[in-house]
Amino acid sequence: MLLISWLTPSHFVILGLQIVFAIAHSGGAALRPWAEKYIGPRLYRILFALVSLPLAVILIIYFFGHRYDGLQLWQVQGVPGVQEFVWLLSAISFLFLYPATFNLLEIAAIQKPQVHLYETGIIRITRHPQMVGQIIWCVAHTLWLGTTFTLVTSIGLVLHHLFGVWHGDRRLSDRYGETFELAKQRTSIIPFKAIIDGRQSLKWQEFLRPAYLGVAIFIALLWWSHPLLLEATSRIAW
């Protein structure tokens, strides 16, 4: 009876939405070489965005609307310092989620989108910054909200990004062969492991790029608009 009382349908809906997004996003990435051959990199990028972005927006809106569903596992929102700690983790997560190695003009298909093999900037810390950023984000929000719905959502997101690590490495290996295998040996998935092992060294000047200023501005705007986003999404009855 206790299981039935807190295991709301929203737990299954969010997992279903994540599976659909994972299939569309990872499947679209796997089809990139074939698609670019027939429709070109720019059209592929546009179609990929038209599929992925709406699904991501739906996921975010649904999460906001149901974040307190299920069982309250813990409640730390009134504990001094927790809110500041959660915001700090969230800010750090975005530094990994949107590293300066991304070319925004390519993402928007203004420039011809290409596959890059980076070993600079945040890639020196971890070869898969998006995975690390997503885990940090999940830890922060699960700590703050403390509900089974948030925990289930976080587990699904982490599993998808762990799959993305394998999937991304496999695609780069297929594309670059031995060149990627050498880059793989010089980098690490676990943050700072390659630096600790002596395979990499931080070069702080590589982080002095306009893209990181953009990330900092985005974090500030998110902090300011977060209450407005929560209020707006609460009006959507999903």
Side-chain angles (χ1 to χ4, degrees), residues 22-199:
I23 293 173
H25 193 268
S26 297
L31 290 174
R32 180 173 184 170
W34 176 85
E36 287 186 345
K37 179 180 178 181
Y38 289 99
I39 64 176
R42 284 191 173 89
L43 182 56
Y44 162 79
R45 174 72 71 179
I46 292 170
L47 292 176
F48 183 79
L50 288 175
V51 172
S52 297
L53 289 179
L55 291 174
V57 170
I58 291 171
L59 264 171
I60 293 169
I61 293 173
Y62 194 82
F63 172 76
F64 279 172
H66 296 271
R67 64 192 184 279
Y68 285 110
D69 284 5
L71 185 66
Q72 189 76 42
L73 299 172
W74 55 78
Q75 177 58 264
V76 297
Q77 293 186 8
V79 177
V82 170
Q83 185 176 22
E84 292 76 12
F85 179 66
V86 167
W87 268 109
L88 176 63
L89 285 181
S90 298
I92 293 172
S93 76
F94 282 106
L95 292 176
F96 281 93
L97 281 166
Y98 303 102
T101 51
F102 286 176
N103 188 322
L104 297 180
L105 294 179
E106 288 185 20
I107 291 175
I110 297 172
Q111 291 182 352
K112 180 181 177 181
Q114 302 179 55
V115 177
H116 298 279
L117 193 61
Y118 289 107
E119 287 187 59
T120 58
I122 205 164
I123 304 300
R124 295 183 185 274
I125 298 175
T126 172
R127 191 168 66 252
H128 290 281
Q130 283 190 297
M131 178 272 293
V132 173
Q134 187 65 75
I135 290 177
I136 295 173
W137 186 94
C138 287
V139 169
H141 285 75
T142 304
L143 171 65
W144 179 249
L145 296 170
T147 61
T148 53
F149 178 85
T150 306
L151 181 61
V152 167
T153 302
S154 293
I155 291 173
L157 288 171
V158 170
L159 289 176
H160 175 219
H161 279 74
L162 290 177
F163 170 79
V165 168
W166 171 82
H167 192 236
D169 280 359
R170 184 183 64 83
R171 287 186 288 112
L172 288 174
S173 181
D174 290 343
R175 189 181 187 99
Y176 291 104
E178 186 179 354
T179 302
F180 172 69
E181 293 304 317
L182 293 173
K184 189 176 178 180
Q185 293 174 17
R186 293 189 293 264
T187 56
S188 63
I189 297 174
I190 301 173
F192 296 101
K193 188 176 187 300
I195 296 172
I196 295 172
D197 292 345
R199 290 175 284 147

Side-chain angles (χ1 to χ4, degrees), residues 186-220:
R186 293 189 293 264
T187 56
S188 63
I189 297 174
I190 301 173
F192 296 101
K193 188 176 187 300
I195 296 172
I196 295 172
D197 292 345
R199 290 175 284 147
Q200 278 290 348
S201 59
L202 280 179
K203 297 184 179 180
W204 296 106
Q205 64 270 23
E206 293 177 351
F207 292 85
L208 299 177
R209 301 178 62 175
Y212 276 107
L213 176 61
V215 172
I217 293 173
F218 173 79
I219 292 171

